[in-house]
Amino acid sequence: MISFQLSEQQKQIKEMTHWFAANEIRPIAMEADRLGKVPDEWLDKVNKMGIHLNTSSFSGGGGEESSRKSKKEREGNRMGVLATEQMAWGCPAITLSLPGAGLGGPPVQSSGTPEQKERFLSIFTKEKPRWGAYALTEPEAGSDASGVKTTATKVDGGYILNGQKIFITNGGRASWVVAFATVDSTLGRAGQRAFVVEKGTPGFSCTKLVKKMGLRANETAELLFEDCFVPDENLLGGEKLYEASSNKPSGFQVAMKTFDSTRPIVASMAIGIARAAYEYTLDLVRQEYPKGGETSALAAEMLAEVEQNIAAARLLTWEAAWKADFGLPNAKEAAMCKAYAGQMSLDVCSKCMELLGPIGLDGHLVEKLFRDVKIFDIFEGTNQIQHLVVARRQYAAYEVRV
Amino acid sequence: MISFQLSEQQKQIKEMTHWFAANEIRPIAMEADRLGKVPDEWLDKVNKMGIHLNTSSFSGGGGEESSRKSKKEREGNRMGVLATEQMAWGCPAITLSLPGAGLGGPPVQSSGTPEQKERFLSIFTKEKPRWGAYALTEPEAGSDASGVKTTATKVDGGYILNGQKIFITNGGRASWVVAFATVDSTLGRAGQRAFVVEKGTPGFSCTKLVKKMGLRANETAELLFEDCFVPDENLLGGEKLYEASSNKPSGFQVAMKTFDSTRPIVASMAIGIARAAYEYTLDLVRQEYPKGGETSALAAEMLAEVEQNIAAARLLTWEAAWKADFGLPNAKEAAMCKAYAGQMSLDVCSKCMELLGPIGLDGHLVEKLFRDVKIFDIFEGTNQIQHLVVARRQYAAYEVRV
Amino acid sequence: MISFRSTEEELAFVEVAKNLAKEKIRPQARICERNQKLNEEIVQEVQELGFLSLELSEDWDGLELPLISQVQILQGLCYGDLDVVQGLPGAGDAASFIRFLNQRLDTYKTDIVDELQTVSYLDLSEDWGTNIEVKKEMNHYILNGMSQPVKLAAQADYVLIAVMDSNGEPILFWLDSSVHPWHVEEGDYRLGLLTSGIARFTFDHVKISTDAILAQGNTAEKIIQDGRTRVRILQAAREVGLMEAALDYATEYTASRKAFGQEIAKFQGVSFRIAKMAIETRIVNHLVWEAALQADQEHPEAEGLSLRALHRAHKSLRYVTDSAVQLLGGHGYIQEFPVEKWMRDAQAQVTLYGRERQCLKKRGEQIIAGNREEVMA
Amino acid sequence: MISFRSTEEELAFVEVAKNLAKEKIRPQARICERNQKLNEEIVQEVQELGFLSLELSEDWDGLELPLISQVQILQGLCYGDLDVVQGLPGAGDAASFIRFLNQRLDTYKTDIVDELQTVSYLDLSEDWGTNIEVKKEMNHYILNGMSQPVKLAAQADYVLIAVMDSNGEPILFWLDSSVHPWHVEEGDYRLGLLTSGIARFTFDHVKISTDAILAQGNTAEKIIQDGRTRVRILQAAREVGLMEAALDYATEYTASRKAFGQEIAKFQGVSFRIAKMAIETRIVNHLVWEAALQADQEHPEAEGLSLRALHRAHKSLRYVTDSAVQLLGGHGYIQEFPVEKWMRDAQAQVTLYGRERQCLKKRGEQIIAGNREEVMA
């Protein structure tokens, strides 16, 4: 039955994450942006609370619980998008800095061997904050996931990696990074492999933390592999995964599959940002605008448009997550929600800036959100890439590959 | 010196054409749409008045005059766009049905031999209304001007044409048609030739007049060439034109060059339509809307946007025409104005429909304009083609061909 | 639990509706338009399948389906042709009001449900363009003036009128052509929805006795508000059906049409537009569903959500049908292909059913007033 | 005669401006932003070239150029960096008012023109967000409250204030920091235009003697209206310069950047966006030129055209700078490339200089009122 009402569990996670975002994240959002980092004590504190960012599903408190009820309808993806919207509403930069496997989680979860899952996912304990990361993008290939140039040369007992990765969220602090490399560039996509490279591995270094337009509290790193030896047991999924029938399950497939679950999460963040800007502005309009005047009439239309667009993005995102929960193919829906949310959220922030007027320049949250939000239309596949994915699915029935 | 003021001559042509549009065209616009044709007596009358549509420059009265003052600054293209805007403001379907060489004029003018110019352009006399036409589009190639499939086989004394042309404005009634065909499809663009095919030539027929969304008063024909012999002297520009250095001045070049002068004209028509809708709606808002109410406030914003967009399109069009008058390359500007005017004019008509509300459905000019205007974003190169042309020029400096 | 899965029953209904749309409605649409009249066979089939009484209650032999089911079925039907569906006889938009007034209108039941006599719904709330005066005198009302064009007016046997009288009191009137001598203006309609009997009513000091009052005061206000909300949702759903038709048609066309040596789908100028059309269509679908769900729950926010859904539906419908014409190029503009008709129908539809900016503004005022519980995800 | 050809003199000016933009302004922009302060060398060079006194009259050693020439020069300068140009000291936006008040302000000429003391222009007409009260008492006025953020406030030596007093009379005040004890609020500015000294003024019951009145009543009204028109046009011109920079930068980047085996320019998803950016940039250019030409002619429509040009400039500036970031992808978002700064500066600019929808609405009201001769092509 079609329903947009939250289940009890969904309501709970939403309320819990909203509480956390409102009481723990939002209060430090502006300060973290100014500092260019999330304070260490704060990270320590929330890690002890068990708050992590797993981009496939948000885990708060008991991660064990979810395994218990595998017979019930899976709702991890829906829970994930609900939770992420709330967290990003608090502050997207801080949300992306939360301890946990982050964007590195989904590939390990979906393609790792049982041994790898245990080894890499069990390190996120309350003892101290740790991060995972995901390293696909390279200097010469932004949205082109198939153009990976980092090489992996097979040697005895492992691979030697050489290459550079850029725009890696939490890449400097991560305990491990899922890095994509090619064993033979002439094989194209079939030659791709995914490796889990651990911090401290000789030849693996973080060469730079870049300064950005926004998301300043969140670390964005450049990583370098120089004759970096990675043992066989860190090949994600093991050799078996890549030997499988034909050339389907290559590292490229791992990367693509990851997108289907991370894109709705990224879309949720954009939605959370847009909603934060909208609510902030609505409050201000309610309190400060002269009642019933023409300013107020203009604001009414703009706010209605903003609210509509946020709802539109949210429903697209829910659909993508719902499909994922049912194990249905959701590449199209994931691309749709990301494409729409990424673009709409900037527009929302810009409209809110207009409603705030010049005072909005002086220490108001909305300007920070404006700076933060732009990247959501770029990372995890630009808007253009999302349109391509949508179009490709749309034409699939006609056997035309666009 | 930069100036957007009209010269005396420009003012005159504008006023004259506006007068004609308001007093002769507009009064029959709705009726002609209903009839699906422009009444013959009317065409006879205006032809006797010497009113023609030459898409490179509007000629009213004395065509001889322009040749006399070749030493003065050429302003034919600017005059053309000024005049066309006014005429289309009266009614675009009737404007396109005016006697004259129409879209067939520019290729004859720019590429014809002196003998051909004389032979084909001198027929547009006051004696009786006659038309010229331009036949490029084929069933299997809409915007792809290089994909002409109509063949021209060289035989003794001429060529045998075989093929089909669609969407030919005034194609059924035209005394002659500039038709594009290929002498050797393996040569691609270099194989293209332009022929002037005269009405009544054996093997040349009009197979159908299509029914359309709008522009119903204007004839749109399908033409067929079946073993149609066209004598050498009807090869536009003569053999010499196509033998010239390398493969530059092929029929394809003739077609493309034509666009640079017709696109600003087509853009002007779209602008005229938009302005007609705008003025009609503004009058209605002024007269009927409650003063100062909220309906009026919403209308203010919409009308301001509409007025701005019309001005924007007009200035782009003027620039393209100004460049043409100076003999400067204007392909980019011609594509810009056509791209923008074609799209904006539909938006304007749609906004005006919103302002009119349901009464707009019942016998108001704006709904007709809405139906008429859509084709302006399609013919003479779709919006997509215009963007491609603009982009191509934009990247020319970097030697990337997009 | 958030779910986008239709029930089995809904899926069955939709399948029937869509088959009818593809096999009967679309193939007949051009002919219906030319005749400005529906094909009897279609009417009969639609009636037999129960699709004329989705919104009517069971006492009226209606299916009384929840809105969330109705909207899916309407989408399916309008996938065939919006104009044809708008032209269907019977209760029309008035059904959304009649369902609250069953007993009061019982004597008309057979005429409307079985004989398919037609009801036109006339809402006199627009703040300009209508100059109808409703004046109370002694024991009756006097109705005078000319209406805006409305759907089904040309063939109406009855008119349901929602209006504020000259004292500002909301009233619902029921006019019967055999009793109330209205006049239908001969109009000049060319744009779209030409089979749906769009016309203007003229009332020349028509005297309406209090018998013709279906409801007034608070009761009328509530019925008008709820009825309007339902009409908005059901109309927006029809628009989704047309959008889906235009999207699929343009997708198929661009997948096969070649230019510059390849399928035009391979140009991003084309394929990205298709992607945008797909996204917009999906968005409107969801917003309509959301409004339907809330209206089914009688949530106070349903009115606002119906405004929101209708606004987006109008905007996206214009975009999607225009895009379809654009992507077909010259073929989009000629009557041998359906998309030019769809674009005309779409513009007529949005012109008839509420101005976009008014929807937005009204919704915005509600938001700022904030006097309703917010439906927050 | 319609013509888009600049004069030889204009072309010479523009060439100098654009060279300075490329060789000095752009390379220094990041450093200036970091220091929140202009590089002295740039200031000096701009001054020497006369670009600080384009708008000042000849008595003030200004170039007193027509607006049509000024806008071209400003476009050239802002091709380097908008922020740097906005941060230039001297008369700033106030120049457009000072030019009407030369004699009255003669004693300040040297300070402003030669010493480059800075004037901040404060317009108190916004209908909300400002809570400054201007109360007339006996022989003086009392100014009280805090302003919205305005440009050059942080470094202002003087403030030119346009305001309606509590009786609704327009007044132009000239405040001198050595006489009037205003306070500049320590703010928290991060978005953009960070070198331009954006800040808020606080006036704590500042007493202003009638000496400080530059104009009032009808005279003031006329100067305020004309001055605002000029400021709008000159600001919109700056925005065109930034758009041209962003367009060229994105074009060059996408022409060389490769992905999926070819220059990304070859994807229509990229190249069509470039085309749209080019079209928008050209449109704003033309609308600004048109407004400038009419203002130079003192045409009554100039005010309306300035609103129109500014509205479009704001909208297109947001679009074009956002597009540049988008087309650079991840590189667009990081500070090693200029486009992220341009997008921030653009948003700060449109926030500071008039709300888009207000511009549109005001222009629309003028159109409906129709009490001005229409400038029709």
Side-chain angles (χ1 to χ4, degrees), chain D residues 62 80 132 143 164 177 202 211 219 225 287 321 374:
Chain D
I132 291 186
L143 201 59
M164 303 279 230
S177 62
T202 303
D211 291 0
T219 320
Q225 192 190 338
L287 292 175
T321 55
E374 288 192 32

Side-chain angles (χ1 to χ4, degrees), chain C residues 231-245:
Chain C
V231 170
R232 281 189 207 108
I233 293 167
L234 294 170
Q235 287 298 339
R238 287 169 166 88
E239 299 180 19
V240 178
L242 175 50
M243 276 184 251
E244 287 169 343

Side-chain angles (χ1 to χ4, degrees), chain B residues 6-21 51-52 57-62 65 75-87, chain D residues 2:
Chain B
L6 306 193
S7 68
E8 273 315 306
Q9 205 188 351
Q10 288 165 354
K11 257 186 219 156
Q12 264 173 29
I13 194 107
K14 187 189 126 187
E15 279 160 22
M16 199 266 278
T17 46
H18 184 76
W19 181 92
F20 182 78
I51 304 282
H52 281 184
S57 72
F58 175 87
S59 84
E65 210 184 330
E75 44 180 320
N77 287 282
R78 280 168 287 182
M79 305 267 277
V81 298
L82 289 168
T84 312
E85 179 184 326
Q86 298 305 324
M87 304 288 273
Chain D
I2 296 165

Side-chain angles (χ1 to χ4, degrees), chain B residues 78 286 307 319 340 395, chain D residues 2 254 282 312 363 367:
Chain B
R78 280 168 287 182
R286 281 177 175 160
E307 184 245 15
E319 189 182 21
Y340 185 73
Y395 285 112
Chain D
I2 296 165
T254 53
R282 211 67 202 134
R312 186 53 159 258
R363 170 73 183 149
I367 289 171

Side-chain angles (χ1 to χ4, degrees), chain A residues 1-7 10 14 73-75 78 82 85-86 275 278-279 282 285-286 296-305 307-309 311-316 318-320 322 326 328 332-333 335-337 339-340 343 383-388 390-391 394-395 398 400-402, chain C residues 1-7 10 68 72 247-252 254-256 263-266 268 270-276 278-280 282-283 286-287 289-290 293-294 297 301 305 307-309 311-312 315 327 357 359-361 363-371 374-377:
Chain A
M1 207 179 79
I2 296 167
S3 166
F4 296 160
Q5 282 193 325
L6 306 193
S7 68
Q10 288 165 354
K14 186 190 128 187
E73 187 175 321
R74 282 185 57 211
E75 45 179 318
R78 279 168 288 182
L82 289 168
E85 179 185 326
Q86 298 305 323
R275 185 161 63 83
Y278 163 70
E279 290 179 2
L282 176 58
V285 166
R286 280 176 175 161
S296 184
L298 290 183
E301 262 192 280
M302 288 177 81
L303 288 167
E305 210 175 339
E307 184 244 16
Q308 176 186 118
N309 292 341
R314 185 185 291 124
L315 292 169
L316 288 177
W318 284 5
E319 188 181 21
W322 166 76
F326 275 80
L328 300 168
K332 177 169 154 184
E333 289 74 15
M336 276 187 173
C337 67
Y340 186 72
Q343 194 159 31
N383 192 280
Q384 285 70 27
I385 293 294
Q386 309 305 333
H387 275 82
L388 192 63
V390 174
Q394 193 70 22
Y395 285 112
Y398 303 97
V400 177
R401 181 167 168 88
V402 302
Chain C
M1 177 80 90
I2 297 166
S3 171
F4 290 73
R5 177 161 295 180
S6 305
T7 63
E10 286 165 352
I68 187 63
Q72 296 175 67
L247 170 62
D248 286 356
Y249 199 93
T251 304
E252 184 171 357
T254 54
S256 59
E263 293 87 359
I264 62 174
K266 290 186 176 162
Q268 293 186 348
V270 170
S271 65
F272 282 23
R273 184 97 178 231
I274 288 284
K276 282 184 219 303
I279 293 172
E280 278 306 314
R282 212 66 204 134
I283 283 174
H286 293 354
L287 291 176
W289 286 7
E290 188 179 32
L293 289 167
Q294 295 296 339
Q297 305 265 332
E301 192 78 353
L305 297 189
L307 287 163
R308 180 164 101 175
H311 170 265
R312 187 54 159 257
K315 185 174 149 182
L327 292 176
R357 304 225 23 193
C359 293
L360 207 53
K361 179 146 182 296
R363 171 73 182 148
E365 284 163 354
Q366 291 175 359
I367 289 170
I368 292 176
N371 49 9
E374 287 192 33
V375 176
M376 220 298 289

